Every structure is written in structure tokens, then in C-alpha cells.
Amino acid sequence: MDKFVITGGTALRGEIAANGSKNSALPALAAALLTEEPVILHRVPRVRDIRTMERLLVDIGTGVEVDGQTVRLHTPKIVSPEAPYELVKTMRASSLVLGPLVARSGRARVSLPGGCAIGTRPINLHILGLEQLGATIHQSHGYIEAVAPEGLRGATVYFDRITVTGTEDLLMAAVLAKGETVLRNAAREPEVVDLADLLIKMGAKIEGAGTSTIRVQGVERLGGAEHTIIADRIEAGTFLVAGAITGGDLTVTECNPEHVGALVSKMQQAGIDVTQPDATSLRVRSTGRFRSVDMTTEEYPGFATDLQAQYMALMTQAEGIAIVVETIFENRFMHAPELARMGANIRIDGKQAMVAGPRSLTGAGVTASDLRASASLVLGALVAKGETVIDRVYHIDRGYEKIEAKLAAVGAKIHRAE
Ligand code: EPU
């Protein structure tokens, strides 16, 4: 298993480019199941979760050709409308094939995800929504089986709580349903908007993506399309924190500043200088001294739960006490005890973490528990005295493409060890 070896204490300087968004590319890949024509996606990050989704699509019947960050997908026929446990347990976003499979072939068999490092993460809202669109659903042997032999029909789906992949799954189901579907309390994340943009290019009729009410007029068939995935706001945000925590001067290029607005606002309140040199860049300049600012995670446009761990690493270096509240997932503080091993002063009480800073961190052996937790350990290590060895970096490889090479190019002392 790979490890990262990081020697902290170097301020990061220069330019670092954001990749295409993993969480946008995943539903876009699944959307290729909706048509027998080719779908070409550009700016698909070459990370492990994307490879997992590509494997799943190949098993289902999609021809997948990868050329750098361009992926050509072609599904003339659904061969096996199934997502097996072996894949779903490694990546919960596999459930994104549920909606498109039922919509295209009237049948899907998808493993239930089971437990996860950050919370229970059920898919009951995906299932309820599909039932409202007329699918019949049975659960047995750890799988759910959805059938709609006569096709899906439009309906109003009200989400009990906001779900990102649930909204995406239902959107992909609704585009081929008969009549109008209205998704209420829908997720407003940029990734949902990006998926809607792709589906519209494929011939879907969708209004309101990016708001909490999405209206879809079902069409008989969708065609092929070519689409470029949006920038990864979580990767961009992670780099902004890297610049700030190390007291550096870092410009994150090829990003969408609006999508990281909540993080930038918190950083500015903390006294960190963040400016926007042009439409697709953000520059962070920091002396390494800044104030604590409380933060609560929320659905977009609130502060992303996927940046909570990185923000907590930042707050270990801030003057004062920061209260960090996690409202989206019930168990997303696994990074806190690892940061504490490096010297951070963090107390957890249910959904709330109290981070007292600034504490000087020292290098230690730490273990990555999930994707974003791993990113926060990298950030802590970049500012820690001495050497940190992060074990189980396969978690970080799920969502960050060659993060060690990108950080090394702006001055970080980081390398991968087998
Ligand atoms: N929920 C339910 N029932 C459902 C679906 C969700 O109770 O049927 C609950 C979840 O347990 C959670 C909350 O609703 O408490 C929100 O979950 P959501 O469904 O929005 O999460 P997700 O769609 O499974 C996506 C991202 C996550 C990100 C969350 C929240 C993808 C592939 N994944 O997950 O990204 O944390 O939205 O923004 O888009 C990551 O990239 O590291 C990551 C975990």
C-alpha cells in the first residue's frame, strides 16, 4: 500500500491548476447509459473513482475509450443492467446507474451500499423517487431490483432531505419518463447543473437546474453529445487551504471562483488575503497568521462538507477557537484524532468540533480514513515540523489526481513511497 512522506515547513508558491470535477464526471459517465449514441466527455480526472465507474459501465455494456482526460462512451445495448456489490462497496456513487438503467432498459439490479467511513449514507430517497416515477422495487440478498416494463412516467418527487446523487439519479430517470417530472427540494450543487447541461445537449428538456425545483419534460429518446466537465471545486478549495496554511502565495488556476465562494468568504474573515486575478483563478497570500472563524457545513451554496476536514486543518493554525459543525454526515470527523496525533487541539462533541489554535504541529505517522480526511492530513503535514508518513493514501487517489506531483511543483516536500 502506498504512503505519502511529507516534510512540512515550506511555503507553497506559484500556480496550481484545478482538474475536472470527480463528482461531476461520475454522473456524466452514468448518463452515457441513456443513449445508444456515443457520448464524449472532456476533462475527466484520472482518479480511482472514475476508473471504478468506467469498469462498472463496461460490465453493463458500454464501450469505454480513454484518451488522456477525454472519455468516449458508447452503449449500443444494455447487456447486464447490474451494479454488483464488489464495485458498489468500493464506491457508493455506483448507485448513479440505477436511474439511467431503469429509464433506458426498464430494469436495474443494484447492490445496496452498506456502511461507509463518513456515515450511514442510505439510498432510500433514490428508491422512493423511482417508485414515484412508476418503478416497482424489491429488495433481496442485499440488492434492490427496480423494474418498469412499460417505462417510467412523470411525477412530482419531493426529497425529504437534499441529496446530491439522489437528485442526479432521479434527473437521469426523468429525462426518458413519459410526461412531466418535478423534482422538489432538489440539490443545487454545481455538479447537478453540469449534469443537466450534458443531458440538455443530449436532447433532454430540463428547466430549473441549480434551483430547488427542477422540471423535466420527458422525451422518447436521447442522442449523443460532447461535453467538458466543470472544474473540481473541492480540489481547488484544498489547494487554497494549502496556500494559506503554509503561509504561501499560491494561484489556483482553471477553477470557478463562484463555486468556492463559501470557503473564500471564511478565509477572508480569518484575515487571509484571497483575490481573483481573473475569471478562472484565485490567488491566496498568507503570512501563516490568521484568526479562527466558526463554520457550519451546508448544502450548496453553503460551506461544502467535502471541505470541512481541510478547513479543520486550517483552523489548527488560526488564533482562537473555531467551532466547526458538520450537518451533512454523522461521522465525518475521523481526521480529528489523526490531526491530534500531530499536535492539534480538537475536541469533538457530537456534530460539533472545537478547534483551539494556533498549535504547532509535528510530523507523525497517521492513517487516512476517507478521501477528504486524507486531504486534511496532507495539509496538516505541510505545516508540521519534521516528517509525516500518511498511510493508506489509496483514499486520496480516489479523488485527487497526482496530488503529490501538483503540490511538489509549487514547493511542497512530498513523495509517494510504496
Ligand atoms: N441521504 C439519505 N437518503 C438518501 C440519500 C442521502 O438519508 O437516499 C442522506 C445522507 O446519508 C447524507 C445526506 O443525505 O446524510 C446528504 O447525502 P447526499 O446524498 O447528498 O450525498 P451523496 O450524493 O451520496 C455527494 C458527493 C459526496 C458529498 C455529498 C454531500 C458524489 C459522487 N458524492 O454524495 O462527495 O460529500 O454529495 O455534498 O457526488 C467526496 O467527494 O468525498 C464525497 C463524499
Side-chain angles (χ1 to χ4, degrees):
M1 252 184 271
D2 289 3
K3 299 174 194 307
F4 279 162
V5 182
I6 302 173
T7 305
T10 314
L12 302 190
R13 290 180 197 285
E15 285 192 1
I16 191 163
N19 241 317
S21 159
K22 165 188 80 93
N23 287 349
S24 234
L26 287 169
L29 289 165
L33 293 172
L34 289 164
T35 172
E36 68 275 2
E37 291 179 19
V39 171
I40 297 166
L41 301 175
H42 302 291
R43 208 181 182 195
V44 177
R46 299 315 301 162
V47 296
R48 208 159 59 100
D49 276 6
I50 297 295
R51 283 192 285 271
T52 306
M53 181 60 93
E54 288 166 354
R55 259 177 64 202
L56 173 58
L57 294 180
V58 168
D59 289 350
I60 291 172
T62 308
V64 178
E65 286 168 33
V66 180
D67 178 9
Q69 294 200 331
T70 294
V71 183
R72 183 178 187 276
L73 304 124
H74 189 200
T75 321
K77 192 164 152 266
I78 303 289
V79 177
S80 163
E82 184 162 319
Y85 180 56
E86 291 65 43
L87 287 184
V88 178
K89 76 176 179 202
T90 62
M91 189 185 68
R92 313 173 69 76
S94 309
S95 55
L96 279 168
V97 299
L98 183 59
L101 282 176
V102 184
R104 168 98 180 262
S105 69
R107 207 182 142 236
R109 188 167 180 269
V110 173
S111 168
L112 284 164
C116 169
I118 61 176
T120 48
R121 303 186 75 185
I123 57 163
N124 58 312
L125 301 175
H126 303 226
I127 296 169
L128 274 171
L130 278 176
E131 279 178 336
Q132 272 154 310
L133 295 190
T136 305
I137 303 207
H138 293 290
Q139 183 188 332
S140 64
H141 307 292
Y143 280 75
I144 67 137
E145 211 164 324
V147 290
E150 307 298 318
L152 298 170
R153 45 167 206 276
T156 295
V157 175
Y158 180 88
F159 290 102
D160 265 358
R161 65 176 293 178
I162 297 174
T163 158
V164 179
T165 52
T167 301
E168 293 163 349
D169 217 1
L170 267 291
L171 186 56
M172 289 188 279
V175 288
L176 288 179
K178 287 186 196 84
E180 184 181 69
T181 298
V182 184
L183 304 179
R184 292 203 183 272
N185 202 24
R188 293 177 288 164
E189 267 64 5
E191 294 77 17
V192 174
V193 179
D194 199 29
L195 172 65
D197 286 345
L198 166 63
L199 293 170
I200 290 167
K201 286 181 192 167
M202 293 167 71
K205 297 207 165 79
I206 301 169
E207 276 174 19
T211 75
S212 51
T213 302
I214 305 179
R215 285 177 197 278
V216 183
Q217 306 294 335
V219 295
E220 289 237 324
R221 61 177 294 280
L222 295 178
E226 195 162 344
H227 182 72
T228 301
I229 300 296
I230 57 169
D232 195 314
R233 62 195 168 102
I234 307 303
E235 190 200 29
T238 303
F239 293 151
L240 286 176
V241 174
I245 202 170
T246 60
D249 180 355
L250 196 61
T251 301
V252 182
T253 61
E254 296 173 43
C255 68
N256 184 332
E258 190 186 325
H259 293 170
V260 280
L263 171 68
V264 168
S265 165
K266 288 287 166 193
M267 290 173 79
Q268 288 170 336
Q269 287 168 49
I272 298 164
D273 182 22
V274 187
T275 53
Q276 189 183 323
D278 59 53
T280 56
S281 303
L282 283 168
R283 180 177 183 183
V284 57
R285 273 172 290 192
S286 156
T287 56
R289 291 195 61 176
F290 41 87
R291 293 184 290 279
S292 296
V293 178
D294 295 347
M295 182 278 280
T296 299
T297 62
E298 272 167 26
E299 292 89 0
Y300 189 83
F303 195 104
T305 172
D306 288 345
L307 284 169
Q308 177 259 108
Q310 299 87 318
Y311 187 77
M312 193 183 286
L314 183 68
M315 287 300 107
T316 67
Q317 301 307 300
E319 269 163 52
I321 290 175
I323 305 291
V324 173
V325 183
E326 172 58 56
T327 68
I328 309 294
F329 292 110
E330 67 267 31
N331 188 27
R332 213 176 192 178
F333 285 141
M334 303 274 274
H335 43 284
E338 300 298 310
L339 288 171
R341 300 200 61 251
M342 299 168 75
N345 184 355
I346 304 170
R347 198 177 313 156
I348 305 286
D349 184 7
K351 289 178 161 190
Q352 189 169 298
M354 200 178 75
V355 190
R359 289 287 288 238
S360 85
L361 303 184
T362 53
V366 289
T367 301
S369 57
D370 74 77
L371 170 54
R372 309 303 172 185
S374 331
S376 90
L377 299 180
V378 170
L379 294 167
L382 288 176
V383 75
K385 286 196 187 73
E387 190 176 275
T388 296
V389 178
I390 305 180
D391 205 358
R392 298 200 192 162
V393 297
Y394 60 84
H395 286 295
I396 211 163
D397 294 333
R398 292 184 57 176
Y400 293 86
E401 186 180 331
K402 298 197 184 110
I403 191 170
E404 72 278 24
K406 282 187 167 187
L407 291 174
V410 288
K413 296 199 174 92
I414 173 170
H415 70 269
R416 184 183 289 260
E418 303 249 318

